[in-house]
Amino acid sequence: MTFTQRQISPFNPTENTRTMGKGMRAAVLFLLSVLVLIGILGGRLFYLQLIEGDRNQQLAENNRIRLIAKPPERGRLFDRKGNILASSRLAHVVYLWPIAQPKDKWQPTIKRLAELIGVSAQTITDKLEQEGYNSPNLVRVSTAISPKLVTVLSEHSLELPGVKVEPEAVRYYPNGDVAAHVLGYTGELTAEELPKLREKGYRPGDVIGKSGVEYAFENQLRGEWGGQQVEVDAFGKVLRILGQKPPKSGNAVKMTIDLDLEKAVEKILGEQQGGIVAMNPNNGEVLAMVSHPAFDPNLFSGKISEATWKRLQEKDHPFVNRVLQVYPPASTFKVVTMTAGLETNKFGINDVLPTYPYLDVGGFQFWDHNHAGFGTIGFSEAMAYSSNTFFGQVGMRVGEKDLATWARKYGYGEYSGLEIKEEETKGTVPDEEWKKRVIGEPWYVGNTLNMSIGQGDVQANLVQVSMMTAAIANGGFKIRPHFLLEDSDAKEWRQSLNISPTNLAAVQKALRSVFDFGTAAALNSSEISMAGKSGTAQDPPRLNHAWFTVYAPYENPEIVVTVFAENAGGGGGSAVAAPLAVQTIEAYMKIKSMPNSPINPPVPAVNSN
């Protein structure tokens, strides 16, 4: 075999050198390109490893390690004897796990889930977007689903990637609508509430207290989130649990409410629209608080159907706590008028006044309720008979300024101190300055007369009337009503009204005369000595409201009860409200002799829609 050898022409000596130069330049360029590429890669590696190394390591770790948050069980509410007022029961809850699939994969899942659980796709999407598609936290989209729906979701699990059905403790009220307005209810965070509470660790779908003590004691009841640290694969599937922090349950709260008395008072009030509050006059503990109509707070632990919600709305404002709403206090306010008359020295305890069918003031006739008057009488008879013309004369001589001063001393026109302040209306103590500012009119003598008998613009709630009655019962001290049993500050807080002992005894005697020979004489008891005052408030064109406030025993008071019957008519406070108040006193005396051991029924299984 022979090889042909290329000859270099002597006439063209540069031919070979040009060819070799081109090859060298190409090599050099290639080498430079490689060096530049290595430099870029090296610089990038230097940046990623040394400058951004910690951050990227964390990102890589986050792609592999997830923290699945677990909500805590809400703290339980107990009555003063240890009976459970609110606890938890096991239910199944539907969650989304945002990181389980990419953002663009979620909509088919959401659409199918919405069809199965009856929650709109937009609502589910909104909750997911509030939390974020890259969040490792579970997002609640439905609460307390039925066992049947648990089975349905399990059967369709392949169509629902990223959807989890988890067991969870949901709020449970074993006594149904008993003490509903005191306890309140829980519910999911709204879109409006979430931004304000995120900084406190709340998440979309979290359940919080919405009203009552559930709202007031949210910080104590809420507890602390826990969770599991898990390792996941590229598809978000859990490979193993690396560690876990158990959720910390919320604190139990023991309340002043006596469940036995609460149930008894619920029956006493019955279907009468209105409210009853019973409290200890010496330390402000609220023993019972009933408002009718009411609602079952268990309804809010799951999904409320449209039919159920419509039925609730057909009632006359069942979510309004009538004990904390304000109305004209009517003749119960005569306690304020008597106190003001005696403490300003405009009257003495033995003074008497003539009474009339009516008082003519400024061309207006202010009638006594019997349209005849009661002759010449003193304070005890006037309180017993509830004479408008007697107390109208007292009020006009005292004047609106001193009436207003003493009303405020008793607690009118201000919040009572109850923990559920957001649901309380503080009412009105009118005076000349108030009328000019609010109504734009001058103050007239007729306004003073109306105020002195608890009519006109004066407004008060049942707790304020109870505070006034308690001050007379306990020796002249303003106390702070409260629901928290362990609240030593509230229990020990007492503010002297500085009523002279002689005048205080005169007011106590006048309230006792209501039972001895006055408007409540038919209810006088040889077993339980009581003192109190009736009231009938006008509410044209509707029927009159009925009031009665009472304390017992007269010699050593343990309980104050105030009853309000809304638009009751039928004879007013003495005929409608007084019997309910006396029945409450009798129930209290009977219950206090019963054993204190709690009786808590077993928690039933969830049966939600």
Side-chain angles (χ1 to χ4, degrees), residues 32 116 231 304 327 453 552 555 601:
L32 289 173
L116 293 173
E231 182 179 0
I304 300 181
Y327 315 88
I453 59 174
E555 299 80 6

Side-chain angles (χ1 to χ4, degrees), residues 528-604:
I528 308 171
S529 57
M530 294 172 279
K533 185 70 190 78
S534 60
T536 304
Q538 297 175 355
D539 187 31
R542 294 172 290 271
L543 295 175
N544 293 337
H545 300 312
W547 286 89
F548 200 84
T549 186
V550 59
Y551 67 88
Y554 176 67
E555 299 80 6
N556 188 23
E558 299 176 16
I559 184 172
V560 166
V561 175
T562 299
V563 175
F564 175 78
E566 186 173 335
N567 300 123
S574 59
V576 179
L580 304 181
V582 171
Q583 290 173 42
T584 301
I585 295 289
E586 292 171 343
Y588 165 81
M589 294 299 178
K590 180 179 179 181
I591 289 168
K592 81 169 190 173
S593 64
M594 295 168 53
N596 276 346
S597 57
I599 302 175
N600 291 313
V603 176

Side-chain angles (χ1 to χ4, degrees), residues 14-40:
T14 63
E15 178 182 356
N16 188 50
T17 58
R18 284 197 300 268
T19 302
M20 291 177 64
K22 289 180 180 179
M24 291 178 65
R25 282 197 302 270
V28 171
L29 289 173
F30 176 76
L31 181 60
L32 289 173
S33 298
V34 171
L35 290 174
V36 170
L37 181 60
I38 290 174
I40 292 173

Side-chain angles (χ1 to χ4, degrees), residues 294-295 299-300 307-315 318-319:
F295 61 94
L299 295 171
F300 296 90
T308 301
W309 181 250
K310 183 178 179 181
R311 188 176 71 251
L312 284 171
Q313 297 307 305
E314 288 173 352
K315 291 185 176 181
F319 300 108

Side-chain angles (χ1 to χ4, degrees), residues 166-480:
E166 297 283 343
E168 184 178 297
V170 299
R171 206 55 163 167
Y172 173 61
Y173 303 89
N175 303 293
D177 62 358
V178 174
H181 292 94
V182 174
L183 300 175
Y185 61 92
T186 60
E188 283 191 30
L189 275 172
T190 64
E192 294 75 23
E193 292 169 328
L194 182 60
K196 304 172 186 175
L197 294 173
R198 266 194 185 278
E199 61 183 25
K200 295 183 179 180
Y202 287 88
R203 302 171 171 86
D206 272 4
V207 172
I208 63 170
K210 294 284 189 175
S211 69
V213 296
E214 289 280 23
Y215 175 84
F217 299 148
E218 172 68 16
N219 290 337
Q220 296 99 307
L221 296 171
R222 180 190 173 205
E224 295 179 9
W225 281 70
Q228 290 181 331
Q229 190 178 44
V230 299
E231 182 179 0
V232 299
D233 61 18
F235 301 99
K237 182 179 179 181
V238 176
L239 299 177
R240 62 188 175 122
I241 297 174
L242 302 176
Q244 57 183 340
K245 175 188 175 184
K248 182 180 178 181
S249 298
N251 295 324
V253 173
K254 201 165 187 178
M255 298 177 59
T256 59
I257 294 293
D258 184 320
L259 180 60
D260 296 317
L261 183 61
E262 183 78 20
K263 288 180 176 180
V265 177
E266 297 266 3
K267 292 180 180 179
I268 289 168
L269 185 60
E271 294 302 310
Q272 173 61 58
Q273 191 162 291
I276 299 177
V277 61
M279 57 188 278
N280 185 325
N282 302 301
N283 59 21
E285 292 177 352
V286 178
L287 306 174
M289 181 181 287
V290 175
S291 176
H292 182 79
F295 61 94
D296 185 349
N298 285 304
L299 295 171
F300 296 90
S301 297
K303 179 187 174 185
I304 300 181
S305 67
E306 290 186 11
T308 301
W309 181 250
K310 183 178 179 181
R311 188 176 71 251
L312 284 171
Q313 297 307 305
E314 288 173 352
K315 291 185 176 181
D316 193 359
H317 307 293
F319 300 108
V320 173
N321 187 344
R322 283 167 166 78
V323 173
L324 298 179
Q325 300 308 299
V326 294
Y327 315 88
S331 293
T332 61
F333 193 82
K334 290 171 181 174
V335 174
V336 175
T337 305
M338 180 175 178
T339 306
L342 296 177
E343 285 295 306
T344 58
N345 294 317
K346 301 286 179 63
F347 290 88
I349 61 173
N350 296 315
D351 285 353
V352 295
L353 290 172
T355 59
Y356 309 94
Y358 62 86
L359 296 174
D360 193 325
V361 177
F364 292 93
Q365 295 177 343
F366 295 84
W367 288 83
D368 231 325
H369 62 86
N370 69 347
H371 292 264
F374 299 92
T376 299
I377 55 177
F379 277 105
S380 285
E381 294 84 3
M383 193 72 78
Y385 303 141
S386 196
S387 172
N388 290 337
T389 59
F390 181 96
F391 283 100
Q393 292 176 78
V394 173
M396 288 189 291
R397 188 185 300 180
V398 169
E400 47 88 17
K401 288 185 179 180
D402 285 320
L403 285 175
T405 295
W406 274 99
R408 295 187 183 104
K409 283 186 176 182
Y410 274 119
Y412 289 84
E414 63 182 29
Y415 293 111
S416 66
L418 277 176
E419 295 91 338
I420 53 176
K421 175 182 175 182
E422 287 75 14
E423 295 164 49
E424 183 178 5
T425 305
K426 63 180 183 179
T428 305
V429 177
D431 56 21
E432 185 175 13
E433 188 276 330
W434 175 89
K435 191 178 180 189
K436 286 180 180 178
R437 185 182 75 252
V438 175
I439 302 178
E441 294 180 356
W443 186 269
Y444 300 110
V445 176
N447 297 132
T448 303
L449 195 158
N450 246 348
M451 182 180 180
S452 67
I453 59 174
Q455 291 285 171
D457 294 313
V458 61
Q459 300 273 313
N461 63 48
L462 277 70
V463 177
Q464 291 168 339
V465 173
S466 293
M467 290 171 66
M468 174 195 72
T469 308
I472 300 303
N474 66 27
F477 293 92
K478 183 179 178 182
I479 45 86
R480 183 183 299 163

